[in-house]
Amino acid sequence: MYLEIVTPEAVLFSGEVTSVAVPGVNGEFQMLDNHAPIISLLGKGNVKIYGDMNIEEEVNDKFTKGENGSTLLSISSGTIEMKDNKVIILAD
């Protein structure tokens, strides 16, 4: 699936990933390849990204390594949309 993470400052990442787990306002949920379309609000927590990521050097400090080969991005809030196997995260 294709993932794009956008903040008010910059596009932090865009590329292919295996799956994404996000901190929804009612708890964490995960999206895999070909997930049903969804739009949801996000709360404070970590976006967990699985798959090989090539992160640009200028935004590399925003990401940390997590368990099981995941990459983490800490957010305070945001929205997520999944449609046609493309995930867009608008994060603060």
Side-chain angles (χ1 to χ4, degrees):
M1 78 174 78
Y2 189 83
L3 171 65
E4 189 169 277
I5 302 174
V6 181
T7 67
E9 295 84 32
V11 175
L12 298 184
F13 176 77
S14 59
E16 292 290 324
V17 298
T18 306
S19 68
V20 181
V22 293
V25 291
N26 294 322
E28 183 177 272
F29 63 96
Q30 183 176 22
M31 285 161 292
L32 300 169
D33 204 28
N34 295 309
H35 192 282
I38 187 173
I39 296 175
S40 180
L41 294 174
L42 301 177
K44 185 174 182 160
N46 286 320
V47 175
K48 297 176 188 168
I49 307 150
Y50 297 90
D52 294 328
M53 295 177 63
N54 293 322
I55 301 170
E56 298 290 328
E57 200 172 307
E58 56 269 8
V59 297
N60 195 37
D61 61 330
K62 304 228 185 258
F63 295 90
T64 58
K65 287 293 178 191
E67 297 177 356
N68 302 322
S70 66
T71 302
L72 305 178
L73 172 66
S74 181
I75 64 170
S76 57
S77 66
T79 60
I80 186 167
E81 177 185 18
M82 170 84 175
K83 182 180 177 187
D84 298 329
N85 218 33
K86 181 178 180 181
V87 179
I88 299 173
I89 297 175
L90 304 175
D92 288 329

